[in-house]
Amino acid sequence: MKGPIIGIVIVLALLATGAIFYASDALQAVPAAPVEQTYANDLFEFSFSYPTGYLLAESEVGVLGRTHHVISIIKEEDAVPRVYSEGPTAVTVDIYQNDTKPQTLEEWAQSDESNAKLGDGVMTEGTVDGAPALRYTWSGLYQGETTVFLHNDRIVAVSVTYMSQADDIYAVYGMLLNSLRLR
């Protein structure tokens, strides 16, 4: 009779030891908070954060006879050009001069430079680091959302393209807007 009892005690001891090791591994496997990168621009006098694993690129783009500065943020894995496919979802920051023929946010949103006409026309008021802002959604190849505000004689339009608001890129858009600091 002692043999089976000793066997049961050994099995229970092994199970308890395994449970302790499993629990300690589970505690150590807590994922770390995502590391953030900071972008700062002295010319445009603002900064923001975005997560690692994303690439940032800047360019000057001419549209409708007017050049503006564009900052694009995409996932690193989307940096390889796709064959026979559309571009990746992204967050973009478009910066337009607004000093030669100043426009209000509402006027700009209704202009050809904006994509608000692709939406339902609903504009939501808010702020970006204390600056009055307008937010609107639109639809094209992807779903989109834009937040636009005035800063130092410039119109700044922060946009995101996404398939679903559950997509990581939509969270990056929120992170950028929440961390954006105007100087």
Side-chain angles (χ1 to χ4, degrees):
M1 189 65 136
K2 285 185 178 178
I5 292 175
I6 292 175
I8 292 172
V9 170
I10 291 173
V11 168
L12 289 175
L14 289 173
L15 287 172
T17 303
I20 291 169
F21 282 119
Y22 176 78
S24 66
D25 284 348
L27 292 175
Q28 293 173 358
V30 173
V35 177
E36 296 178 3
Q37 302 176 80
T38 300
Y39 169 87
N41 189 302
D42 291 333
L43 175 64
F44 299 125
E45 298 181 339
F46 64 73
S47 63
F48 58 79
S49 298
Y50 63 100
T52 57
Y54 286 80
L55 298 175
L56 184 143
E58 296 184 73
S59 62
E60 295 294 322
V61 177
V63 175
L64 302 170
R66 187 164 134 175
T67 302
H68 70 279
H69 193 79
V70 179
I71 302 166
S72 300
I73 301 170
I74 62 170
K75 279 187 175 181
E76 283 181 9
E77 62 201 45
D78 290 335
V80 176
R82 300 174 183 186
V83 178
Y84 306 117
S85 179
E86 301 299 333
T89 57
V91 173
T92 58
V93 181
D94 292 275
I95 305 154
Y96 300 87
Q97 279 300 123
N98 192 37
D99 56 357
T100 56
K101 188 177 173 188
Q103 294 176 299
T104 65
L105 293 178
E106 293 82 4
E107 290 170 335
W108 183 86
Q110 297 307 316
S111 76
D112 290 335
E113 290 174 311
S114 166
N115 48 18
K117 293 177 184 174
L118 299 174
D120 59 10
V122 175
M123 302 270 173
T124 305
E125 293 181 2
T127 62
V128 172
D129 196 29
L134 289 178
R135 181 178 287 194
Y136 57 88
T137 60
W138 46 275
S139 185
L141 176 64
Y142 297 112
Q143 296 302 307
E145 185 171 306
T146 299
T147 300
V148 61
F149 59 93
L150 296 170
H151 179 59
N152 295 343
D153 294 326
R154 293 181 175 90
I155 293 173
V156 181
V158 181
S159 300
V160 61
T161 54
Y162 57 91
M163 298 299 288
S164 161
Q165 288 185 346
D167 294 350
D168 291 344
I169 197 71
Y170 193 82
V172 172
Y173 169 69
M175 173 189 212
L176 187 153
L177 287 172
N178 288 329
S179 67
L180 203 135
R181 296 295 167 255
L182 306 174
R183 295 181 270 143

